Amino acid sequence: DQQVKQNSPSLSVQEGRISILNCDYTNSMFDYFLWYKKYPAEGPTFLISISSIKDKNEDGRFTVFLNKSAKHLSLHIVPSQPGDSAVYFCAASGTGTASKLTFGTGTRLQVTL
Amino acid sequence: DTGVSQDPRHKITKRGQNVTFRCDPISEHNRLYWYRQTLGQGPEFLTYFQNEAQLEKSRLLSDRFSAERPKGSFSTLEIQRTEQGDSAMYLCASSLSIAKNIQYFGAGTRLSVL
């Protein structure tokens, strides 16, 4: 039962363009959402988060959008840089789930020159 | 802030052996989590502690797995009688309970069971 889904296993974007990574969830109890970036041989690194009371959160080049009615969130990276090449994981937690994170399967982003 | 530290980074063992991993969280963090990640998947929750109390365990955590956090600081995860299916990356994370569930991860321990 995959409660958090990232349907695109990979994405390739040119440097300077926008990268859009998508995530869908099924559990309506989720109220907090996070994006993590993972390089090979390292643990996931926190990028940005959003609470369910908001629909947008920005931090520099990274913006997360949340559409609660569609149970969908997206991460926008503008402009994309080669150092952004990594695997991106969407994660969710809810007040009734003891704060554990439920992760998607990840999207591998490659930013090309 | 030295981040979350995990030891060892890699462990190769033979089936049937016991292994133990250690996690040192960020010093002021009172919540500590263990996750397991296999190839092509995202991390899957195993268990979590608030201070020294183990508050939740996943059904993924069979009776061969045990985790402790004796003084509310570092934690250990032990796997007894390892099986080939235990081969995975074991990740530890920590968070402040007052922070909005932002968990900070260590680099992980990669276990290979031969």
Side-chain angles (χ1 to χ4, degrees):
Chain A
D1 176 22
Q2 194 74 25
Q3 297 186 66
V4 178
K5 300 177 186 178
Q6 294 177 255
N7 292 319
S8 298
S10 63
L11 175 68
S12 182
V13 171
Q14 274 190 322
E15 181 181 11
R17 307 293 283 265
I18 184 171
S19 295
I20 300 176
L21 295 95
N22 294 303
C23 178
D24 297 292
Y25 63 96
T26 57
N27 190 336
S28 56
M29 296 298 290
F30 290 147
D31 62 1
Y32 195 67
F33 304 89
L34 308 91
W35 284 94
Y36 284 83
K37 177 169 74 172
K38 188 177 185 304
Y39 294 119
E42 295 183 12
T45 301
F46 169 72
L47 265 181
I48 191 169
S49 63
I50 188 166
S51 166
S52 60
I53 62 173
K54 295 186 174 181
D55 54 17
K56 178 182 174 182
N57 188 28
E58 271 183 275
D59 184 1
R61 297 185 298 114
F62 302 92
T63 303
V64 56
F65 295 90
L66 175 63
N67 182 334
K68 289 188 293 294
S69 61
K71 293 191 175 69
H72 176 83
L73 61 155
S74 61
L75 174 68
H76 293 209
I77 307 173
V78 183
S80 300
Q81 299 174 353
D84 296 329
S85 297
V87 178
Y88 289 77
F89 290 98
C90 171
S93 71
T95 51
T97 56
S99 77
K100 67 182 179 186
L101 296 180
T102 301
F103 284 83
T105 52
T107 297
R108 181 176 301 277
L109 173 66
Q110 180 155 10
V111 180
T112 58
L113 298 173
Chain B
D1 179 359
T2 57
V4 178
S5 177
Q6 292 188 246
D7 183 69
R9 292 291 309 274
H10 303 276
K11 179 70 177 179
I12 300 173
T13 192
K14 291 183 179 178
R15 191 174 50 185
Q17 298 294 304
N18 299 345
V19 294
T20 301
F21 311 140
R22 176 179 170 124
C23 172
D24 287 89
I26 294 170
S27 58
E28 65 270 24
H29 286 186
N30 59 358
R31 287 187 173 182
L32 186 147
Y33 307 80
W34 285 98
Y35 291 83
R36 180 173 69 186
Q37 185 176 19
T38 53
L39 197 62
Q41 300 297 315
E44 294 177 288
F45 171 78
L46 292 177
T47 189
Y48 108 95
F49 293 84
Q50 181 157 323
N51 300 312
E52 64 275 11
Q54 188 174 18
L55 296 185
E56 186 174 350
K57 293 195 292 186
S58 162
R59 55 186 167 79
L60 291 176
L61 213 66
S62 78
D63 55 7
R64 295 185 298 105
F65 288 69
S66 62
E68 293 183 342
R69 193 182 183 197
K71 295 182 180 179
S73 57
F74 74 91
S75 175
T76 57
L77 178 67
E78 181 183 17
I79 309 174
Q80 296 183 326
R81 305 181 304 281
T82 53
E83 300 173 355
Q84 287 185 326
D86 298 331
S87 297
M89 175 73 83
Y90 289 85
L91 293 162
C92 176
S94 69
S95 72
L96 272 174
S97 63
I98 57 174
K100 191 62 176 177
N101 201 22
I102 297 173
Q103 298 180 19
Y104 297 90
F105 284 81
T109 295
R110 179 165 295 284
L111 173 66
S112 297
V113 182
L114 305 179

